[in-house]
Amino acid sequence: MARHWRFAPHDPAVISTLVRQLHCSPLLAQVLAARGVRTAEVARRFQSSQLKDLHDPNQLPGVTAAAQIIAEAIRAGRRITVYGDYDVDGVTATAILWHCVRLAGGKVDYYIPHRVDEGYGLNLEAIRKLHEEDPQRVVVTVDCGICSVAEASLAQELGLTLIITDHHTLSDSLPQAAALVHPSLPGSEYPFRGLCGAGVAFKLAWALCQQLGDGERATPKMRDFLISAVGLAAIGTIADVVPLVDENRILVHNGLVSLAQRAPLGVSTLMKVANIEQGRTLVSEDIGFAIAPRINAAGRLGQARLAVELLTTTDQDRALQLAQYVDQLNRDRQTVERRMLKQARELVEEHGWEDEPALVLAHPEWHPGVIGIVAGRVAEKYERPAIMIALDEAARCGAGSARSFAGYDLYAALHACQQHLTGFGGHRAAAGLRLQQDALDGFRAAFSSYVRETLQLEEGDTDFPVDAEVSLADLTLPAVKEIDTLGPFGCENPRPIFVTENVTLAGPPKTMGGGDRHLALRVKQAGRIMRGVAFGKGEWAADFERHSGPFAICYRASINRFQGRESVEFQLIDWQPSSTAATV
């Protein structure tokens, strides 16, 4: 599918006004204008991200009732079990609530289901086990449970107190529990529906701190905890790829500051293992590309409990041991991922599925914990929704992960094809599913047919939206630092994309990373040389070597910080010969 560079229209008068009123560079003014900002007042409001602007936690549906139940349980000495998901969002949400209850003097533990043996969310056997161990305990789910109708009914039947906190898409029926906490419950008037599981857990912790204080304000000790917990909420928010607007933007902005200044022991140790300089300004990419993948690897390879332990331990030696272990798990995950991606490409070629509107791929050798990452790679490579299914041939069933493309609503598609599935859940961009192996072909046909009928890409859905066309000379260190004030960057607030025409190579491009997956290159224009990286585009090296003339690059600029030195670099996302680069 051809990808066009769609340049944002610029009003020179608006840009001039912003430069004058904000005392900023023309580069920042162009980016602001490209994103619809027309006045200095709107720009300042966008750049402001203060914790005081977070919505009152008691506006969140169900949170007051949940906080009251937990507070009463703490006072009564009842055990509180935090039941979390095994991804980064679930792990950080678990750690937030665990820290909060423990600091308040409560008896607290956690339960993380095994990704392969138990699957996502609440399960009946876990409910029975938790009840048998301690029928008086309170179970609080984080990042899961809103679709667990049967499991909640069993808890109610057994007399087990269950609180469900979640953010995933609601099903037709809601579970019966002591309290349901979710931004989008029927009748909800909560101002922001985009919180992730860790964000919901943070709001519950905040409401609990109020309950344990004077009813409106937390004690100084608990307020200090909440400021620290914002860092964990930021990790979960970035990792779950929820929109970085409204409350999520506030949580991530302040969370990155908190992590740089006062990260929990496990996180600071993990930052050292990931070679992130201590004390420097953090950006969302530090979490998305260094911290989150290591935490995620533990859950993907069946060791999520160790990831929670890493985020909750107070023992320095244990923290280092765990950080090094999850780092090795991440390396193992990368090896598995490369093999699976190669097999996925072979399946597409073997069956001639290149022109299918959606891809449903299955293999008995695929690891259930890694299929989600690879599904994302496949969706990106083939530019269409993709589902990867790990088959269990002994049990004649499969577990799958789905990833969207161009904003397509995956959840709606799975809902329409649910007669072929034994279970599914998730949201628009990412989802999970289970099916019997003999239903695979029927599901593939139904899913592809539904996508073919409903995937109507609007003009620009597959374009690269370009904020500004600039020269390399425009990308000075001060100018790019100004651009960074628009962060944190992520979903619905992406790092600005620039285009530069008529550049040439300053040396041979080189491949790097496992399997030569990535590309490193240096380009020059009018005497300015800049280094760049193209992630997952190692095959471009041969294309560049065959191209002898000048070319145009489409990229994101950022600051590389290493051993106290700072320099501007770019992440290449597309390139074209200069004669064909000026597309609309």
Side-chain angles (χ1 to χ4, degrees):
M1 183 180 299
R3 302 299 293 268
H4 298 289
W5 301 354
R6 177 166 45 88
F7 293 83
H10 286 156
D11 184 335
V14 170
I15 294 172
S16 178
T17 299
L18 290 173
V19 168
R20 184 176 66 255
Q21 293 182 348
L22 293 174
H23 305 289
C24 69
S25 68
L27 183 64
L28 177 60
Q30 286 184 76
V31 173
L32 287 168
R35 300 188 176 202
V37 176
R38 297 290 183 266
T39 67
E41 180 184 356
V42 173
R44 292 189 182 102
R45 189 162 61 243
F46 179 80
Q47 291 172 295
S48 175
S49 298
Q50 301 183 52
L51 287 174
K52 67 179 181 63
D53 294 327
L54 289 171
H55 306 307
D56 182 345
N58 291 287
Q59 290 181 273
L60 186 63
V63 82
T64 303
Q68 289 173 343
I69 295 169
I70 298 172
E72 290 170 2
I74 291 174
R75 298 185 185 105
R78 296 171 65 187
R79 179 175 301 279
I80 297 161
T81 298
V82 186
Y83 191 113
D85 186 22
Y86 38 66
D87 67 1
V88 180
D89 191 18
V91 166
T92 51
T94 300
I96 289 169
L97 211 52
W98 184 92
H99 278 295
C100 184
V101 174
R102 184 174 181 273
L103 193 61
K107 294 169 58 177
V108 61
D109 58 14
Y110 51 85
Y111 186 98
I112 309 293
H114 190 281
R115 187 178 200 123
V116 177
D117 297 341
E118 298 177 88
Y120 168 77
L122 284 171
N123 66 82
L124 297 173
E125 188 57 37
I127 293 292
R128 293 189 185 96
K129 178 181 177 181
L130 291 170
H131 178 263
E132 288 172 3
E133 290 178 353
D134 184 354
Q136 299 303 312
R137 77 197 323 154
V138 176
V139 177
V140 186
T141 76
V142 291
D143 194 34
C144 64
I146 200 61
C147 296
S148 302
V149 176
E151 291 78 6
S153 295
L154 176 61
Q156 189 175 49
E157 178 185 326
L158 295 173
L160 184 67
T161 302
L162 175 65
I163 296 170
I164 292 176
T165 80
D166 203 351
H167 74 111
H168 290 97
T169 303
L170 304 177
S171 60
D172 295 335
S173 300
L174 292 176
Q176 296 298 309
L180 297 179
V181 183
H182 193 292
S184 300
L185 287 178
S188 171
E189 296 182 358
Y190 194 67
F192 181 59
R193 307 295 178 90
L195 290 171
C196 67
V200 173
F202 176 80
K203 285 305 191 75
L204 175 56
W206 184 359
L208 177 59
C209 289
Q210 291 176 324
Q211 291 282 341
L212 296 171
D214 62 8
E216 295 183 2
R217 295 185 178 181
T219 64
K221 179 178 72 171
M222 300 308 286
R223 281 202 302 271
D224 191 60
F225 154 73
L226 288 172
I227 294 174
S228 176
V230 171
L232 290 173
I235 295 174
T237 300
I238 293 169
D240 218 46
V241 200
V242 289
L244 288 191
V245 297
D246 203 283
E247 286 196 292
N248 288 339
R249 176 179 168 81
I250 297 172
L251 287 171
V252 172
H253 174 84
N254 290 278
L256 291 173
V257 174
S258 177
L259 289 172
Q261 298 176 349
R262 50 194 296 175
L265 175 61
V267 177
S268 63
T269 306
L270 191 56
M271 288 167 62
K272 292 178 183 177
V273 170
N275 296 316
I276 296 176
E277 294 182 49
Q278 300 295 297
R280 74 162 172 81
T281 301
L282 296 178
V283 294
S284 54
E285 289 89 345
D286 291 319
I287 306 302
F289 296 114
I291 300 301
R294 288 170 168 81
I295 297 174
N296 222 0
R300 292 188 180 281
L301 299 182
Q303 303 291 335
R305 284 186 60 84
L306 295 182
V308 179
E309 184 183 352
L310 173 62
L311 299 185
T312 55
T313 187
T314 57
D315 183 282
Q316 179 67 65
D317 292 338
R318 182 59 174 163
L320 180 59
Q321 180 186 28
L322 289 169
Q324 291 173 335
Y325 182 62
V326 299
D327 181 61
Q328 182 58 51
L329 285 178
N330 190 50
R331 297 175 193 272
D332 296 341
R333 186 269 305 168
Q334 291 170 333
T335 300
V336 172
E337 176 191 330
R338 286 193 294 271
R339 185 183 71 247
M340 288 171 54
L341 183 58
K342 180 176 181 291
Q343 291 171 327
R345 290 173 173 171
E346 291 171 349
L347 280 174
V348 173
E349 294 172 4
E350 177 186 345
H351 293 278
W353 287 334
E354 292 90 343
D355 296 327
E356 287 294 309
L359 294 173
V360 179
L361 310 176
H363 202 290
E365 295 178 6
W366 287 348
H367 194 296
V370 185
I371 50 177
I373 295 179
V374 182
R377 306 278 191 227
V378 171
E380 178 183 352
K381 174 176 176 56
Y382 293 99
E383 299 181 342
R384 69 203 64 190
I387 299 177
M388 300 277 288
I389 299 174
L391 296 175
D392 182 339
E393 295 197 313
R396 303 293 298 171
C397 65
S401 284
R403 294 296 183 269
S404 183
F405 173 71
Y408 183 73
D409 191 343
L410 273 177
Y411 187 88
L414 292 177
H415 187 273
C417 304
Q418 61 182 309
Q419 70 270 24
H420 300 281
L421 306 174
T422 57
F424 72 97
H427 44 78
R428 291 180 63 96
L433 59 93
R434 289 185 176 275
L435 49 63
Q436 295 299 311
Q437 190 165 334
D438 58 10
L440 175 59
D441 290 339
F443 170 69
R444 179 184 291 114
F447 186 78
S448 293
S449 176
Y450 183 86
V451 174
R452 181 179 290 108
E453 294 172 0
T454 57
L455 181 59
Q456 298 177 346
L457 297 180
E458 300 292 334
E459 183 178 353
D461 278 352
T462 61
D463 291 353
F464 290 122
V466 178
D467 291 273
E469 182 177 345
V470 301
S471 68
L472 294 185
D474 293 326
L475 299 172
T476 64
L477 191 61
V480 177
K481 284 185 174 181
E482 274 192 325
I483 294 296
D484 281 351
T485 65
L486 303 180
F489 298 115
C491 180
E492 293 192 17
N493 185 39
R495 184 175 286 278
I497 293 179
F498 301 118
V499 161
T500 298
E501 285 267 18
N502 294 312
V503 301
T504 56
L505 289 173
K510 299 178 180 178
T511 56
M512 61 181 189
D516 293 330
R517 184 163 171 260
H518 310 304
L519 175 74
L521 72 164
R522 296 164 69 242
V523 300
K524 61 183 178 180
Q525 182 194 56
R528 174 77 185 276
I529 295 177
M530 189 177 297
R531 179 183 180 275
V533 175
F535 293 109
K537 300 295 184 181
E539 69 272 15
W540 281 356
D543 296 333
F544 273 115
E545 289 177 348
R546 286 193 295 266
H547 181 71
S548 59
F551 52 92
I553 54 175
C554 180
Y555 59 92
R556 300 180 181 93
S558 61
I559 299 172
N560 179 44
R561 296 176 173 90
F562 181 70
Q563 295 183 345
R565 296 190 299 271
E566 297 180 328
S567 61
V568 177
E569 295 189 349
F570 67 90
Q571 179 193 341
L572 183 67
I573 57 179
D574 197 19
W575 71 282
Q576 300 174 1
S578 282
S579 60
T580 63
T583 56
V584 177

